[in-house]
Amino acid sequence: MLIETPPAPAASEAKSLRRFGAALGAICLIGAAAVGVAAASDPNALWSIVHGLCVFDKTHLHTSAPCASVDLEGGEAQGSAVLKDILGKTQFLLIPTRRLTGIEDPLIGTDGLPNYWSAAWDARNLVAKNARRDLARDEIGMAINGAGARTQDQLHIHIDCVRPDVRDALAGRSAEIGAHWADFTLLGGHYRARRIDGEAPDPDPFRLLAEDKRSAPLSEDSLAVIGARFSDGKPGFVLLAEQAPRGAVHTENLLDHSCAVAAR
């Protein structure tokens, strides 16, 4: 009597399973880091998830899982992925599909990269979906933390609701924010601020920051890009750059991972 053995999984399926195991471990490590277990933190966890699973599955299995979306239209070097962060119900991360350490990477602010802020803004509908109501443009913001204020060594832009007090303060003072970088105090914090007009954050906020001589080197900066509708009626964005030695700054603090604005 012959005993039939089950067929081995296809090579692509087996490889995907192996990558899933590695990415699942990375997700667990991110979870540990989020609750403050620094010893268990893997600074390459985000890269393992995006490159090891999301890009592979998009390429071979035509699914973005576990990412919410993966855009590889221009290839991996120009692509990006959107991943739900484990912190908060509405927070998502925009992550390049190429290896970039963070805001201090030499390519940031150059012509060699796409406008990741524009791609992050395109993902705002995911924030609104999880908030379970439409969100005005000035209720959504994006931020990247400084090199010394992050746990992950893969560039990622936080996308989430704006803190209600930040939204109200910016709405009341939008006329003070011009088209050129200038010192700006907001709720006790000291920033460099400027505005961008238009529906999308274009030109690239990274490039605008790099062109501001007071912001060099970028390794010391943290940058937030917050949706706005200015007093003159134009849609646009407020850019808020914060600087500190060794990049120990995080404008992510201007966002609200509990999305209190959704309850208004």
Side-chain angles (χ1 to χ4, degrees):
M1 179 178 180
L2 295 176
I3 300 177
E4 295 184 0
T5 57
S12 62
E13 181 181 354
K15 189 173 183 180
S16 180
L17 289 173
R18 289 195 299 271
R19 289 173 180 265
F20 177 78
L24 183 61
I27 292 172
C28 292
L29 287 170
I30 290 179
V35 296
V37 187
S41 176
D42 175 6
N44 296 310
L46 279 182
W47 176 246
S48 298
I49 294 170
V50 170
H51 180 72
L53 187 58
C54 299
V55 170
F56 177 86
D57 284 357
K58 182 69 173 181
T59 302
H60 298 280
L61 304 177
H62 309 294
T63 175
S64 299
C67 291
S69 65
V70 177
D71 181 4
L72 296 176
E73 186 174 346
E76 285 189 47
Q78 300 292 309
S80 61
V82 178
L83 177 69
K84 175 67 183 71
D85 193 282
I86 64 169
L87 180 62
K89 65 178 181 179
T90 53
Q91 182 183 194
F92 287 82
L93 303 176
L94 186 286
I95 307 163
T97 53
R98 70 180 294 165
R99 197 68 160 115
L100 294 168
T101 54
I103 193 170
E104 76 279 11
D105 194 286
L107 286 176
I108 296 299
T110 71
D111 294 335
L113 297 176
N115 186 342
Y116 293 120
W117 296 96
S118 183
W121 184 247
D122 287 343
R124 67 192 183 279
N125 63 305
L126 296 173
V127 176
K129 181 179 179 181
N130 281 14
R132 297 187 176 182
R133 82 161 176 85
D134 291 338
L135 295 171
R137 65 180 298 118
D138 64 350
E139 294 177 323
I140 298 177
M142 306 169 286
I144 184 169
N145 293 327
R150 64 169 193 257
T151 61
Q152 292 296 303
D153 287 337
Q154 173 63 15
L155 188 144
H156 55 286
I157 296 173
H158 299 262
I159 315 159
D160 207 346
C161 302
V162 175
R163 276 172 35 197
D165 59 339
V166 172
R167 176 181 183 258
D168 293 344
L170 288 177
R173 299 177 57 196
S174 65
E176 301 175 34
I177 304 171
H180 301 283
W181 291 103
D183 293 335
F184 188 77
T185 301
L186 177 69
L187 300 173
H190 301 284
Y191 303 90
R192 297 275 290 163
R194 63 161 294 165
R195 66 184 274 180
I196 296 177
D197 292 336
E199 293 290 345
D202 184 34
D204 185 350
F206 278 140
R207 188 175 304 175
L208 295 177
L209 184 60
E211 291 171 355
D212 179 28
K213 295 184 183 300
R214 288 186 54 179
S215 293
L218 288 182
S219 60
E220 297 185 355
D221 278 280
S222 177
L223 177 64
V225 179
I226 299 175
R229 189 165 295 279
F230 295 104
S231 56
D232 56 13
K234 293 181 179 179
F237 300 85
V238 173
L239 276 56
L240 293 167
E242 190 175 13
Q243 192 175 57
R246 297 177 298 280
V249 282
H250 35 84
T251 51
E252 182 193 350
N253 286 345
L254 300 175
L255 307 182
D256 175 22
H257 301 318
S258 69
C259 196
V261 294
R264 286 188 169 187

